[in-house]
Amino acid sequence: MSQSKSSGGNFLEDFSAGQILEHATPRTVTAGDVALYTALYGSRFALQSSEIFAQSCGLHQAPLDDWLVFHIVFGKTVPDISLNAVANLGYAEGRFGVPVYAGDTLRAVSEVIGIKENSNGKTGVVYVRTRGLNQNHQEVLSYVRWVMVRKRDEASVIEASPPPVLAGHVAHESILSRSVPDFSNFDCGLSGEPHRWDDYEVGEKIDHMDGMTIEEAEHQLATRLYQNTARVHFNQFAESEGRFGKRLIYGGHVISLARSLSFNGLANAVKVVALNGGRHVAPLFAGDTVFAWSAVQDKAEIAGRDDAGLLRLRMIATKDLPCATFPESDDGKGVILDLDMWVAVPR
Amino acid sequence: MSQSKSSGGNFLEDFSAGQILEHATPRTVTAGDVALYTALYGSRFALQSSEIFAQSCGLHQAPLDDWLVFHIVFGKTVPDISLNAVANLGYAEGRFGVPVYAGDTLRAVSEVIGIKENSNGKTGVVYVRTRGLNQNHQEVLSYVRWVMVRKRDEASVIEASPPPVLAGHVAHESILSRSVPDFSNFDCGLSGEPHRWDDYEVGEKIDHMDGMTIEEAEHQLATRLYQNTARVHFNQFAESEGRFGKRLIYGGHVISLARSLSFNGLANAVKVVALNGGRHVAPLFAGDTVFAWSAVQDKAEIAGRDDAGLLRLRMIATKDLPCATFPESDDGKGVILDLDMWVAVPR
Amino acid sequence: MSQSKSSGGNFLEDFSAGQILEHATPRTVTAGDVALYTALYGSRFALQSSEIFAQSCGLHQAPLDDWLVFHIVFGKTVPDISLNAVANLGYAEGRFGVPVYAGDTLRAVSEVIGIKENSNGKTGVVYVRTRGLNQNHQEVLSYVRWVMVRKRDEASVIEASPPPVLAGHVAHESILSRSVPDFSNFDCGLSGEPHRWDDYEVGEKIDHMDGMTIEEAEHQLATRLYQNTARVHFNQFAESEGRFGKRLIYGGHVISLARSLSFNGLANAVKVVALNGGRHVAPLFAGDTVFAWSAVQDKAEIAGRDDAGLLRLRMIATKDLPCATFPESDDGKGVILDLDMWVAVPR
């Protein structure tokens, strides 16, 4: 009898600095994925919702939502990187590349860029840089993330390899003009709000007001759509004996929910161009209601463009806590997500 | 700091007679929306289910379900019209126009056609005529609805504007022949039932027999698919303190469920051509089981057509109440929907 | 008043040997169905997931998952065959024919091949051979199933017609080479696992390790997507008084869940070619967690092909019972599905 063909995933011992992981399974994205994304989050950004609006912005068809692209690329990395992860610790240096359209086929490749063991001898942290590529080998996304991973054997000796120094945020000068659609003909009547780049001020806070309660079926459908196999999201039999006694919701589900809620006040922030950083502050469970608010942290022009500008947004999501008072991560219970990103807005 | 960018929706004071509301966000409908609609309701009408059947009826591809079109158009109006609605009171003068196909881009425009304040001084009723348009500016749907809306300030003086007199039902003579597909080659073997127009009698009642229990995840997925943002459907945190203590299901979800159940007995009523009127008699909640029955209220020929005729149907939906005894709205508890429409049936 | 137009389905008295049932409703399958299938099961087999991978296997686009085809064909037969079924007893002689692509239109035809009354005088068993056909009248699937059906009237006399002798399994020599894609360029890096046909041994057992907990909304969405109208899956109002007090999950949902879990260890078994037999050993309910394991029962070459070989797999699914110890159907509680099939694997 040969050794079992199935795999329990990689442990800390299985990673080495410089290692390249070509992730399975390539995935052709379709209008079906787009419809499900709308049904899961209720997203209403005009660029992604309407072929005609997208064409008025110089694209040949409506692009997929940036976070849908993120989730699909991320999902591919899970079987190799985070099946035995204890926690998804952070993101940095995220950039969205060429637009993704229905019909494109995506795959993902990661490089291990750092490993360190925790002092408890049971776990460690693995840093990877992941790239999402389309069928033409163009980069659709790249980002760094670091995860806490279990050791297979506590007695193992781990060769540490400190990660390269990561940028605190993506420099706005490095954001390519071509990653921002043409907003010269942007129709604020159709997009839903009149606010343009000049209307936003650094320091401004926006309560997105609405709340959305999550059901088990919803986050499971979403996470499977992304072909993300992390066990904690699906297996109540095992999780009933686990840390929380229940299934944990994929952190990316929270990002997309908050992003969709943020339409109310940021309807014209139709394009995410960079993920500066982010932290899943606390776990989310079915039955919780998600709220969100955003702060404008910075503004930047795009060289040579008078149709579009950049906003650096901090987007905070909470559970069972409305955001009229703009709760912070350190305020105590309630905050579940603290995300830092650059978005493009018409001028 | 500028004023908050997010919006809490319009109140009674924000409406004025003759006001035109161009609703955001345009939406390209796709095969993904169609598949979700099937998954949400289990609809089996042959015209919408099969490209080949649709082609045999003279259409170049399968049209979207009429109620899917209705929900998408309706959803666009919610942020402007009914975000602060207390109740959706009624519909009239609804007409389905040119067929909608996957790939079409829909938008919605409403005109305020009447306003009146309620005697309690806290709420009022707003009447709007909404039109759904495709990318070629063709009308896909128009209907009147009236909603009870809260005043922002009880002290406000509201300028009343009584609505135009609304037709009790759409006159069958006004239904355009071209809104009914060609049923000359209608295959009753494939469609599921042998009953043709001549087989239905005025006064006939049909128990649709089956029941369907609704889950929170299902109605939330549906309502988000329609980009309908009405808060009562999604926010358990807020609704737990609300009138019912739980999330209220979008009334349109009930229409589609009843319509799908009505396949059993009305399989050949493949095309809805007019919405004469309708009333959401009582609210529906997750966990309830929906049943339905229909009565043939009237029959009409279509001038110049011997392949198709019209049936005026009253469709009643109930919760936790099977319909073998044809329960009426006034019978006490149980009825949740009372809808009046014209449908086209092969002769 | 004419007789009611709606139908309660066929009873044992309504079947006769040799009877041909042309099932409604034809169904055009789309990328939307594929996306929902991914969301419902998290399937990751490369052949179905990627257009480009499929093209590298000689297909012009990614085919639909074999079990999605099965469920859609099966669903069409329910209103005619199993609406009054007490139990779905077994399958035999199942063959998957030409690949099904998004855009194809499927229909189903069944022939009654055997009837026998049970000794209790209340029920009987009906055997049917069902064929699924595409728009070009090509067979996409055929299989025999037998179901226990209620009699309308216990006093009825049933004319028995014993079924033809059914093959214990599909002979591998009869599996057509053209039903297996070209695996000459099969990329095991992209597909997710290195194991090829030669690596599997007869008698080998594979624990698929992961578990998935099922929600009511999920199985209802799935079963409606397949336009399967069997009442026991949807109507809690009726089922609360029924045999189990709750909704019963469509057995095909279990097949697809187990198949998706089986990716872990059988990632390269991308094509199901035959269903030798199968039994739903016990019912599944919402809240249960499904696990699965497989055994390699036999191996066979395909005449004239050195790129692909066949594995005969027994796939067992359990509920609330991890499969590290490979539980058998006779071991007592836990096993819910015992399926026997041929799959094609690259050499």
Side-chain angles (χ1 to χ4, degrees):
Chain A
M1 173 86 48
S2 59
Q3 206 193 343
S4 177
K5 299 287 190 298
S6 54
S7 162
N10 290 321
F11 290 86
L12 191 62
E13 293 89 333
D14 301 313
F15 295 97
S16 58
Q19 186 181 10
I20 303 290
L21 297 150
E22 304 248 13
H23 307 294
T25 307
R27 168 79 182 282
T28 303
V29 294
T30 70
D33 299 308
V34 172
L36 266 162
Y37 193 83
T38 303
L40 287 162
Y41 307 109
S43 191
R44 289 180 287 151
F45 294 98
L47 185 70
Q48 288 80 21
S49 181
S50 164
E51 297 288 355
I52 292 177
F53 196 97
Q55 286 160 8
S56 79
C57 295
L59 303 179
H60 64 88
Q61 71 188 83
L64 265 68
D65 191 282
D66 300 300
W67 293 110
L68 173 54
V69 172
F70 179 88
H71 299 326
I72 288 176
V73 170
F74 183 102
K76 311 228 145 305
T77 72
V78 168
D80 297 321
I81 292 171
S82 47
L83 213 58
N84 295 303
V86 182
N88 196 27
L89 298 171
Y91 307 103
E93 300 187 1
R95 288 166 188 280
F96 290 89
V98 301
V100 176
Y101 300 110
D104 284 352
T105 298
L106 302 184
R107 61 192 175 89
V109 182
S110 297
E111 181 182 3
V112 178
I113 58 170
I115 300 171
K116 69 172 185 199
E117 190 173 355
N118 287 330
S119 55
N120 63 13
K122 297 177 182 175
T123 58
V125 178
V126 178
Y127 294 76
V128 293
R129 186 180 304 273
T130 296
R131 299 172 68 216
L133 302 166
N134 69 13
Q135 68 279 7
N136 300 319
H137 316 292
Q138 294 169 305
E139 191 171 289
V140 299
L141 171 68
S142 73
Y143 63 93
V144 172
R145 78 160 164 140
W146 50 107
V147 292
M148 194 188 301
V149 176
R150 285 194 189 85
K151 289 172 72 176
R152 181 177 284 112
D153 175 0
E154 293 188 23
S156 305
V157 176
I158 303 297
E159 188 179 355
S161 168
V165 175
L166 296 169
H169 66 275
V170 172
H172 66 83
E173 300 86 349
S174 70
I175 292 169
L176 298 175
S177 173
R178 67 166 185 261
S179 69
V180 178
D182 179 1
F183 293 157
S184 307
N185 300 310
F186 198 95
D187 182 335
C188 287
L190 291 177
S191 70
E193 290 181 353
H195 322 304
R196 290 175 178 267
W197 185 78
D198 294 290
D199 299 321
Y200 290 93
E201 291 174 32
V202 174
E204 185 172 351
K205 294 178 177 180
I206 303 164
D207 173 16
H208 302 307
M209 302 180 79
D210 297 316
M212 209 167 271
T213 306
I214 312 311
E215 302 296 319
E216 298 282 12
E218 294 168 356
H219 76 85
Q220 292 196 148
L221 287 167
T223 311
R224 284 187 298 238
L225 182 69
Y226 313 140
Q227 297 176 311
N228 177 331
T229 58
R231 291 158 181 167
V232 289
H233 309 317
F234 299 113
N235 185 337
Q236 182 57 38
F237 181 83
E239 294 307 316
S240 65
E241 303 291 316
R243 188 159 37 140
F244 302 107
K246 46 193 171 180
R247 283 164 277 178
L248 192 62
I249 293 176
Y250 164 49
H253 198 66
V254 179
I255 297 176
S256 285
L257 281 164
R259 168 77 177 154
S260 179
L261 293 170
S262 80
F263 182 90
N264 193 351
L266 288 164
N268 292 338
V270 293
K271 181 76 187 92
V272 180
V273 291
L275 171 59
N276 295 312
R279 202 157 56 92
H280 297 290
V281 179
L284 182 71
F285 302 104
D288 293 343
T289 302
V290 174
F291 297 86
W293 67 274
S294 296
V296 180
Q297 303 216 84
D298 200 0
K299 295 179 65 167
E301 301 199 345
I302 305 169
R305 296 283 292 269
D306 58 7
D307 62 306
L310 301 174
L311 297 180
R312 184 176 168 193
L313 297 177
R314 184 181 169 207
M315 183 172 74
I316 302 265
T318 62
K319 62 178 179 185
D320 296 343
L321 181 65
C323 292
T325 59
F326 308 113
E328 299 272 352
S329 306
D330 324 330
D331 284 355
K333 288 178 193 295
V335 172
I336 56 178
L337 176 74
D338 195 338
L339 209 71
D340 180 345
M341 57 186 171
W342 284 106
V343 297
V345 178
R347 295 183 75 166
Chain B
M1 174 87 46
S2 59
Q3 206 192 343
S4 177
K5 299 287 189 299
S6 55
S7 162
N10 290 321
F11 289 86
L12 191 63
E13 292 91 332
D14 301 313
F15 296 98
S16 58
Q19 186 180 11
I20 303 290
L21 296 150
E22 304 248 14
H23 307 293
T25 306
R27 169 78 182 282
T28 303
V29 295
T30 70
D33 299 308
V34 171
L36 267 162
Y37 193 83
T38 303
L40 288 162
Y41 307 109
S43 190
R44 289 180 287 150
F45 294 99
L47 184 71
Q48 289 80 19
S49 182
S50 165
E51 297 288 356
I52 293 176
F53 196 97
Q55 286 160 8
S56 80
C57 295
L59 303 179
H60 63 88
Q61 70 189 83
L64 266 68
D65 191 282
D66 299 300
W67 293 110
L68 174 54
V69 173
F70 179 89
H71 300 325
I72 288 177
V73 170
F74 184 102
K76 310 229 146 301
T77 71
V78 168
D80 297 321
I81 293 171
S82 47
L83 213 58
N84 295 304
V86 182
N88 197 28
L89 298 171
Y91 308 103
E93 301 186 359
R95 287 166 188 280
F96 289 89
V98 300
V100 176
Y101 300 110
D104 284 352
T105 298
L106 303 183
R107 61 192 175 90
V109 182
S110 298
E111 181 181 4
V112 178
I113 59 170
I115 300 172
K116 69 173 184 196
E117 192 172 354
N118 287 330
S119 55
N120 62 13
K122 297 178 182 173
T123 58
V125 178
V126 178
Y127 294 76
V128 293
R129 186 180 304 272
T130 296
R131 300 171 69 217
L133 303 165
N134 69 13
Q135 67 280 6
N136 299 319
H137 315 292
Q138 294 169 305
E139 192 170 288
V140 300
L141 172 67
S142 74
Y143 64 93
V144 171
R145 78 162 164 140
W146 50 107
V147 291
M148 193 188 301
V149 176
R150 285 194 189 86
K151 290 171 71 175
R152 181 177 284 113
D153 175 0
E154 292 188 22
S156 305
V157 176
I158 303 296
E159 188 179 358
S161 168
V165 175
L166 296 169
H169 66 275
V170 173
H172 67 82
E173 300 87 348
S174 71
I175 291 169
L176 298 174
S177 173
R178 67 165 185 262
S179 68
V180 178
D182 179 1
F183 293 156
S184 308
N185 300 310
F186 198 95
D187 183 335
C188 287
L190 291 177
S191 70
E193 291 181 352
H195 323 303
R196 290 175 178 268
W197 186 78
D198 295 291
D199 300 321
Y200 290 92
E201 292 173 31
V202 174
E204 183 173 352
K205 294 178 178 181
I206 304 164
D207 172 16
H208 302 307
M209 302 180 79
D210 296 317
M212 209 169 270
T213 306
I214 312 310
E215 301 296 320
E216 298 281 13
E218 294 168 356
H219 76 85
Q220 293 196 148
L221 287 167
T223 311
R224 284 186 298 238
L225 182 69
Y226 313 139
Q227 297 175 310
N228 177 330
T229 58
R231 292 160 180 166
V232 290
H233 309 317
F234 299 113
N235 185 336
Q236 182 57 39
F237 181 83
E239 293 309 315
S240 65
E241 304 291 314
R243 188 156 40 137
F244 302 107
K246 46 192 172 181
R247 283 164 278 179
L248 191 62
I249 293 177
Y250 163 51
H253 197 67
V254 179
I255 297 176
S256 285
L257 281 165
R259 168 77 178 154
S260 179
L261 293 171
S262 79
F263 181 91
N264 193 352
L266 288 164
N268 291 339
V270 293
K271 181 75 188 93
V272 180
V273 291
L275 171 60
N276 294 313
R279 200 157 56 91
H280 298 288
V281 179
L284 180 72
F285 303 103
D288 293 344
T289 301
V290 174
F291 296 86
W293 68 275
S294 295
V296 180
Q297 303 216 84
D298 200 0
K299 294 179 65 168
E301 300 199 346
I302 305 170
R305 297 281 294 267
D306 59 6
D307 62 307
L310 300 176
L311 297 180
R312 184 176 167 193
L313 297 177
R314 185 182 168 206
M315 183 172 75
I316 302 264
T318 62
K319 61 179 180 186
D320 296 343
L321 181 66
C323 292
T325 59
F326 309 113
E328 298 271 352
S329 305
D330 323 331
D331 283 354
K333 288 180 192 293
V335 172
I336 56 177
L337 176 75
D338 196 337
L339 208 71
D340 181 344
M341 57 186 172
W342 285 105
V343 297
V345 179
R347 296 183 74 165
Chain C
M1 173 88 46
S2 59
Q3 205 193 343
S4 177
K5 299 287 190 299
S6 54
S7 162
N10 290 320
F11 289 86
L12 191 63
E13 292 90 332
D14 301 314
F15 296 97
S16 58
Q19 185 181 12
I20 303 290
L21 297 149
E22 303 248 13
H23 307 292
T25 307
R27 167 78 182 281
T28 302
V29 295
T30 70
D33 298 308
V34 171
L36 267 162
Y37 193 83
T38 303
L40 288 162
Y41 307 109
S43 190
R44 290 180 287 150
F45 293 98
L47 185 71
Q48 288 79 19
S49 181
S50 165
E51 297 288 355
I52 292 177
F53 196 97
Q55 286 160 7
S56 80
C57 295
L59 303 179
H60 64 87
Q61 70 189 85
L64 266 68
D65 191 283
D66 300 299
W67 293 110
L68 173 54
V69 173
F70 179 89
H71 300 325
I72 288 176
V73 170
F74 184 103
K76 310 230 144 305
T77 71
V78 168
D80 297 321
I81 291 170
S82 48
L83 212 58
N84 295 304
V86 182
N88 196 27
L89 297 171
Y91 307 103
E93 300 186 0
R95 288 167 188 279
F96 290 88
V98 301
V100 177
Y101 300 110
D104 283 352
T105 298
L106 303 183
R107 62 193 176 88
V109 182
S110 297
E111 181 181 4
V112 178
I113 58 170
I115 299 172
K116 69 173 184 198
E117 191 173 355
N118 286 330
S119 56
N120 62 15
K122 297 178 181 173
T123 58
V125 179
V126 177
Y127 294 76
V128 293
R129 187 180 303 274
T130 296
R131 299 171 69 217
L133 302 166
N134 70 13
Q135 67 279 7
N136 299 319
H137 315 292
Q138 294 169 305
E139 191 171 289
V140 300
L141 171 68
S142 74
Y143 63 92
V144 171
R145 78 162 165 140
W146 50 106
V147 292
M148 193 188 301
V149 175
R150 285 195 189 85
K151 289 171 73 175
R152 180 178 283 112
D153 175 0
E154 293 188 23
S156 305
V157 175
I158 303 296
E159 187 179 357
S161 167
V165 175
L166 296 169
H169 67 274
V170 172
H172 66 83
E173 299 86 350
S174 71
I175 292 170
L176 298 174
S177 173
R178 66 165 185 264
S179 69
V180 178
D182 179 1
F183 293 156
S184 308
N185 301 310
F186 198 94
D187 183 334
C188 287
L190 292 177
S191 70
E193 290 181 353
H195 322 304
R196 290 175 179 268
W197 185 78
D198 295 290
D199 300 321
Y200 290 93
E201 291 173 33
V202 174
E204 184 172 352
K205 294 178 176 180
I206 304 164
D207 173 16
H208 302 306
M209 302 180 77
D210 297 317
M212 209 168 270
T213 306
I214 312 310
E215 302 295 319
E216 298 280 14
E218 294 169 356
H219 76 85
Q220 292 196 148
L221 286 167
T223 310
R224 284 187 298 239
L225 182 69
Y226 312 140
Q227 297 176 309
N228 176 331
T229 58
R231 292 160 181 167
V232 290
H233 308 317
F234 299 113
N235 186 335
Q236 182 56 39
F237 181 82
E239 293 309 314
S240 65
E241 304 291 314
R243 188 158 38 138
F244 303 107
K246 46 193 172 181
R247 283 164 277 178
L248 192 62
I249 293 176
Y250 163 49
H253 198 66
V254 179
I255 296 176
S256 285
L257 281 164
R259 168 77 176 153
S260 179
L261 293 171
S262 80
F263 181 90
N264 193 352
L266 287 165
N268 292 337
V270 294
K271 182 74 187 92
V272 181
V273 291
L275 170 60
N276 295 312
R279 200 158 56 93
H280 297 289
V281 179
L284 181 71
F285 304 103
D288 292 343
T289 301
V290 174
F291 296 85
W293 67 276
S294 295
V296 179
Q297 302 215 85
D298 200 359
K299 294 179 64 169
E301 300 200 345
I302 305 170
R305 297 280 294 267
D306 58 6
D307 61 308
L310 300 175
L311 297 181
R312 185 176 168 193
L313 296 177
R314 185 182 169 205
M315 184 173 73
I316 302 264
T318 62
K319 62 179 178 186
D320 297 342
L321 181 66
C323 293
T325 58
F326 308 113
E328 299 272 350
S329 305
D330 324 331
D331 284 354
K333 288 177 192 296
V335 172
I336 57 178
L337 175 75
D338 196 337
L339 208 71
D340 181 344
M341 57 186 171
W342 284 106
V343 297
V345 179
R347 295 183 74 165

